[in-house]
Amino acid sequence: MQLVKPGKLLINNEWCEAESGKRFDVFNPATEQKLTDVAEGDAKDIDRAVKSARQAFETGPWKNMTARERGRILNRVALLLQKHKTEFAELETLNNGKPISETLNADLPLAIETFEYYAGLADKIHGDTIPVNGNFFNYTLREPTGVVGQIIPWNFPLLMAAWKLGPALATGCTVVLKPAEQTPLTALKLGEILIEAGLPPGVVNIIPGFGPTAGAAIASHNDVDKVAFTGSTEVGKLVMRLAAESNLKRVSLELGGKAPNIVFADSDLSAAVDGAMRGIFFNQGEVCCAGSRLFLEEKIHDEFISMLKTRVEKMIVGNPLDPKTQMGAQVNKEQFNKILNYIEKGKQEGAKVVTGGAPAHKQGYFMKPTILQGVNNQMTVAREEIFGPVVCAIPFKNQDDLRKQANDTIYGLSAGIWTRDIGKAHRLAKEIKAGTVWINCFNCFDAASPFGGFKQSGFGRELGKYALELYTQVKSVWVSLD
Ligand code: NAI
Ligand code: MG
């Protein structure tokens, strides 16, 4: 397989151009150079893809396949991904700018595990028998939701495709997947593997394209039964509106975050420094659950900042393909400028740059890892998602003060707690309004453990058995025993 080849649309297991004939360029954010170009799908292509997915759902071999056979196909996808792991990791790094150490050790293993996990779950999805009043036999069927549209972002392009496809295919749904316009390459390469693994035509259709055209066409299509979206809260609201105004398709949303990462004075400070770094610099901070609000108990504030500064200034930021690189390039100029603007705004509102705060290199969208201190929870940098390697240190006095501030955000995706007092940790874990809480760790993931948001971070849980709820509906069947 050639590493960076031009991309097409995948409809009905055939690679084709967009009806408009349009193509768009895909870049390497580390060099700012064009990597290749890809067919640009729009509403017409989405419509073709939906027709193909509908046919596969209603009449194709997929419908008659047993759950165990579906599981075997998913297992083959995992094995093929494993076989081509290095190529996928390199392609992801080239297109997204993230370090190869992360694509090899996080994105790829997690994507493979996701397919393995749902391969094993496929034949364990079933209904109940329910003791009802009267002379009846009542049971439930858990049926696939149907044709699902999946719109994914650019920060974990392959992994987000895996999170979406794994449970959808395990349950027997068919899919129209739209990768982000910045990073369509690994999703297209995954398409080759899906075909090789034996997925019948029409079961997964992959349409690269832009949000307002291809994405909106999925959300508003009358023959799409469900839309799953990961991206900004702003577009999440739009997707929900389009879903409501069209056919009331089911919606699940995984949106932004502004996670509190809370360090108490009684924690293992050196482990907490590690955790603070993992929380904000992993994937250049382009992570919805990033620990972007670093709450430091007053007593240890200065000591902690100084420990963190020493570590941060040693970070290697540069060529994402170099195995030693710890932080790569931001995904594109738009995100890069957005981060710089937030840092300016932070300074205007009174925050102080401890380290970083500027581009790291002359070429490529590289940012220096940045610490802002003197932030309070009302400042713009503490309220809005920066989506970059910028951590905002906020001091707190005591637990009451902390609790109020930690939950004072429109988001609720994740949180971190660092303390040696386990009672305090568990009490706080219960009080924090977030879908994931990490105690003495951060950014831990497993295909078996659910992930999703409270509040405006969205709703619905991906991963684990919970994701099956997103792709199935329950039918109650009554049988008279008279
Ligand atoms: P976005 O929300 O615009 O894009 C995410 C996906 O939605 C992409 O596939 C895009 O093509 C699609 N999309 C965009 N507009 C659409 C529309 N009108 N209808 C349907 N689909 C549409 O995010 P963007 O602009 O790339 O990034 C902006 C900010 O969003 C980031 O700075 C970050 O704060 C946040 N974000 C959060 C992510 C998360 O993991 N929760 C992922 C990506 C971005
Ligand atoms: Mg956008």
Side-chain angles (χ1 to χ4, degrees):
M1 279 191 264
Q2 187 191 337
L3 197 56
V4 189
K5 57 185 180 191
K8 294 189 175 180
L9 314 179
L10 180 63
I11 300 178
N12 217 30
N13 277 8
E14 281 167 23
W15 296 100
C16 57
E17 294 295 335
E19 268 197 31
S20 67
K22 281 199 210 163
R23 303 182 63 81
F24 65 98
D25 291 343
V26 177
F27 294 89
N28 177 346
T31 61
E32 304 177 36
Q33 304 293 309
K34 176 179 166 178
L35 277 173
T36 187
D37 47 59
V38 166
E40 181 186 329
D42 64 20
K44 282 196 179 129
D45 306 293
I46 293 295
D47 195 48
R48 279 199 288 157
V50 171
K51 286 202 171 83
S52 145
R54 174 57 64 194
Q55 198 180 0
F57 184 74
E58 303 295 347
T59 57
W62 189 240
K63 189 182 167 74
N64 299 320
M65 216 177 251
T66 65
R68 202 151 293 152
E69 285 171 308
R70 288 201 304 272
R72 279 190 204 118
I73 291 178
L74 286 172
N75 230 341
R76 283 200 290 275
V77 173
L79 289 170
L80 286 165
L81 265 180
Q82 181 66 42
K83 185 173 155 198
H84 297 289
K85 185 177 164 182
T86 313
E87 285 162 76
F88 269 94
E90 284 175 3
L91 188 59
E92 196 80 304
T93 285
L94 282 172
N95 192 179
N96 167 280
K98 63 172 83 191
I100 191 77
S101 60
E102 289 182 7
T103 44
L104 275 175
N105 298 315
D107 300 67
L108 262 296
L110 288 168
I112 293 165
E113 279 174 23
T114 303
F115 283 109
E116 282 173 341
Y117 178 84
Y118 287 104
L121 210 50
D123 61 0
K124 296 164 196 73
I125 302 165
H126 49 70
D128 299 311
T129 59
I130 302 172
V132 290
N133 279 339
N135 205 14
F136 299 102
F137 171 48
N138 178 250
Y139 64 95
T140 57
L141 295 173
R142 199 165 261 283
E143 298 183 347
T145 302
V147 173
V148 306
Q150 303 183 321
I151 302 171
I152 57 174
W154 42 262
N155 53 344
F156 294 91
L158 177 71
L159 186 58
M160 289 302 102
W163 282 24
K164 296 278 183 284
L165 292 175
L169 298 178
T171 52
C173 290
T174 60
V175 178
V176 176
L177 174 77
K178 192 198 86 61
E181 57 272 27
Q182 298 86 349
T183 56
L185 301 182
T186 47
L188 292 175
K189 199 173 169 68
L190 179 63
E192 294 174 20
I193 276 183
L194 295 174
I195 296 173
E196 196 181 338
L199 208 66
V203 175
V204 173
N205 305 274
I206 305 176
I207 312 290
F210 291 84
T213 48
I218 290 177
S220 57
H221 201 290
N222 277 318
D223 203 28
V224 170
D225 298 305
K226 182 228 158 52
V227 59
F229 172 82
T230 299
S232 61
T233 295
E234 182 196 355
V235 175
K237 289 181 181 180
L238 186 62
V239 163
M240 194 162 169
R241 241 185 338 260
L242 293 174
E245 284 163 3
S246 52
N247 62 343
L248 214 59
K249 59 179 67 63
R250 278 67 184 132
V251 177
S252 54
L253 303 172
E254 203 265 90
L255 310 173
K258 197 73 200 177
N261 195 5
I262 302 155
V263 184
F264 287 99
D266 61 6
S267 66
D268 173 342
L269 286 193
S270 142
V273 168
D274 274 350
M277 296 192 43
R278 197 171 326 121
I280 194 69
F281 302 128
F282 174 59
N283 210 46
Q284 299 78 238
E286 293 170 341
V287 183
C288 46
C289 53
S292 49
R293 290 184 300 148
L294 181 63
F295 284 100
L296 301 174
E297 193 163 356
E298 260 175 10
K299 280 186 265 191
I300 48 111
H301 177 275
D302 294 355
E303 182 189 357
F304 195 90
I305 293 283
S306 123
M307 286 168 79
L308 187 62
K309 177 174 189 280
T310 310
R311 289 282 306 279
V312 168
E313 287 177 349
K314 288 193 188 125
M315 278 187 81
I316 304 170
V317 183
N319 179 6
L321 287 167
D322 184 335
K324 289 195 294 296
T325 292
Q326 292 167 308
M327 215 174 73
Q330 309 305 136
V331 76
N332 62 12
K333 193 167 195 164
E334 188 187 336
Q335 292 300 315
F336 180 72
N337 287 336
K338 176 179 166 185
I339 296 162
L340 288 169
N341 286 337
Y342 271 120
I343 293 171
E344 273 319 300
K345 186 96 183 163
K347 287 198 276 194
Q348 282 163 20
E349 292 180 14
K352 187 170 154 267
V353 177
V354 177
T355 183
H361 300 298
K362 285 207 178 67
Q363 198 198 24
Y365 306 119
F366 294 95
M367 275 300 303
K368 284 186 177 163
T370 301
I371 308 173
L372 298 181
Q373 74 169 13
V375 176
N376 73 52
N377 201 41
Q378 302 309 316
M379 288 182 186
T380 309
V381 287
R383 304 211 74 78
E384 296 179 11
E385 187 173 53
I386 300 176
F387 227 59
V390 181
V391 70
C392 298
I394 308 173
F396 69 91
K397 286 191 180 54
N398 51 40
Q399 281 191 61
D400 271 352
D401 176 30
L402 177 269
R403 241 189 324 266
K404 275 190 219 111
Q405 297 198 67
N407 280 332
D408 180 12
T409 164
I410 61 165
Y411 297 113
L413 196 54
S414 65
I417 300 170
W418 298 85
T419 174
R420 286 192 171 104
D421 179 339
I422 59 164
K424 180 163 75 182
H426 287 289
R427 278 195 305 277
L428 195 55
K430 210 171 159 192
E431 283 166 10
I432 297 254
K433 295 190 169 77
T436 297
V437 177
W438 288 294
I439 299 174
N440 295 331
C441 54
F442 207 95
N443 272 343
C444 305
F445 289 95
D446 191 292
S449 182
F451 185 80
F454 281 32
K455 301 196 272 184
Q456 292 190 41
S457 291
F459 50 83
R461 290 294 175 270
E462 301 197 273
L463 299 183
K465 287 188 197 161
Y466 297 86
L468 301 178
E469 304 288 333
L470 305 182
Y471 296 103
T472 54
Q473 24 194 12
V474 174
K475 181 181 282 173
S476 173
V477 182
W478 291 76
V479 185
S480 165
L481 296 179
D482 286 339

